Amino acid sequence: MPHKAARYVLRSTSSAAGTIASAAGTVAAAALAASIILSPTAAASARMDGVHTDLLRAVQLNQITEEQAARFEAKLAGRILGEA
């Protein structure tokens, strides 16, 4: 096979492989995005229970104070539960 022909075949093959890999990546990303969007969200009370648990752990590890935890939890409750 002449050198130019071999180079053309190699380029075409690698280009096609790249296009297929790119398309597969796009499909995988779209599937992941759809699963995130369509998955049910946790109930607001369950989310707040998780927030409380995480903040309690942060206080136990001396990462934040109890006052900081209380203020932050109240702020998130206002956003998550719609309270002031």
Side-chain angles (χ1 to χ4, degrees):
M1 178 181 288
H3 179 68
K4 284 186 176 184
R7 196 163 80 194
Y8 174 77
V9 169
L10 289 175
R11 277 189 176 166
S12 299
T13 305
S14 66
S15 176
T19 302
I20 291 169
S22 176
T26 303
V27 170
L32 177 62
S35 71
I36 291 170
I37 291 170
L38 299 175
S39 64
T41 58
S45 60
R47 291 174 66 194
M48 285 308 303
D49 288 343
V51 166
H52 179 75
T53 301
D54 290 345
L55 290 172
L56 181 61
R57 176 95 172 125
V59 169
Q60 290 171 346
L61 294 172
N62 293 321
Q63 294 174 333
I64 58 174
T65 65
E66 289 183 26
E67 294 79 21
Q68 289 172 321
R71 283 194 312 262
F72 189 65
E73 187 171 354
K75 186 176 186 179
L76 286 179
R79 291 181 181 177
I80 293 173
L81 301 174
E83 300 172 357

